[in-house]
Every structure is written in structure tokens, then in C-alpha cells.
Amino acid sequence: MPKEKSIASRRYTNSQLRIQTIYTKVLKLTAMLNALTGRNIYRSRVDSDNYTSQNLMKKLGAKPNGISEMLIHGEELQKFQKKNSNLIDDKVRALADEFGVAPIDLIGHVLEFRIEWKPTNFESIKHGNLFSYI
């Protein structure tokens, strides 16, 4: 095992190292998309119960940008929401408040985040300052 990895393994948990890997890959992907398309604003959709991905979006500097219908629409969505309204808890209420929607609306919808890419984000990663982001 290389010395650097050994030191990192002792200082950070496996979970933190996995987050570092995913975060780095997302930053690299965003940098490549920016280089290919010239665009610097992206939209990401995350399930309302996927707290890990929500935290990753926040670490990337993404901002709440509303909610979107994904697989269920119209009357079917209303039935689904009614059937699963028991899933609303304090975490869901706080998330709904953050996105400016009613808690029931998070059931059957996905969260939408807006990511504004800044090339300086990637420069910090290249120079080894990743854990300042985490």
C-alpha cells in the first residue's frame, strides 16, 4: 500500500474516502462537460429519500431548484401520494421547506438541483485540497 493511501486510510473513514472518490469523479465529469459544451450550469435530479446524494449536491455547491415529476404523473401520482402519505416525517418536512414545496409533494417527485460550475472547483482538487470541501 502506498504511503499516502496508508496515511489517508488512518485519517479518514472508508465512507469519507468513498465520498472523496465520488466527489472527485463528479467534479472531473463536470469539468469535461464544461470543456466540451462550454456550458457551466447543470441540473441534477435526486430522489427525496436519497440523503447521501443530496449531501453530495450540497458539497458541489448545488442549490435547490424545485421538484420534478419523474415516473408517475397526473391521477396516478395523486393516488400514490395519498397511499404513501405516512412517509412524511420531520426530515421530509424540513426538506420540503428547503425546496419551498408542501411535504406531500416530495412523495412521487424528485428534487431538482442547479449546479453552477466554476473551473476553480476543479483546480482545488488537482492541487490536493479535496478535504477542504468535505
Side-chain angles (χ1 to χ4, degrees), residues 45-63:
R45 292 179 175 173
V46 176
D47 282 325
S48 59
D49 62 348
N50 188 340
Y51 299 109
T52 303
S53 292
Q54 291 170 34
N55 288 333
L56 177 62
M57 290 297 107
K58 290 174 186 175
K59 285 179 173 103
L60 289 169
K63 304 289 182 216

Side-chain angles (χ1 to χ4, degrees), residues 48 67-69 72 74 76-89 91-97 99-111:
S48 59
I67 59 174
S68 301
E69 288 184 2
I72 308 170
E76 227 179 288
L77 175 60
Q78 290 174 347
K79 287 178 188 175
F80 182 80
Q81 287 175 327
K82 189 173 183 175
K83 181 180 176 184
N84 293 287
S85 63
N86 62 314
L87 299 174
I88 297 173
D89 59 11
K91 246 182 170 176
V92 171
R93 286 184 193 90
L95 190 60
D97 189 48
F99 277 80
V101 298
I104 193 71
D105 289 334
L106 292 183
I107 297 176
H109 287 87
V110 293
L111 305 174

Side-chain angles (χ1 to χ4, degrees), residues 14-30 52-53 55-57 59-60 125 130 134:
N14 285 339
S15 176
Q16 287 172 317
L17 291 173
R18 276 194 303 275
I19 290 170
Q20 172 190 6
T21 301
I22 293 168
Y23 183 78
T24 303
K25 287 180 180 181
V26 169
L27 283 178
K28 286 179 181 179
L29 175 65
T30 308
T52 303
S53 292
N55 288 333
L56 177 62
M57 290 297 107
K59 285 179 173 103
L60 289 169
I125 297 306
L130 174 68
I134 294 177

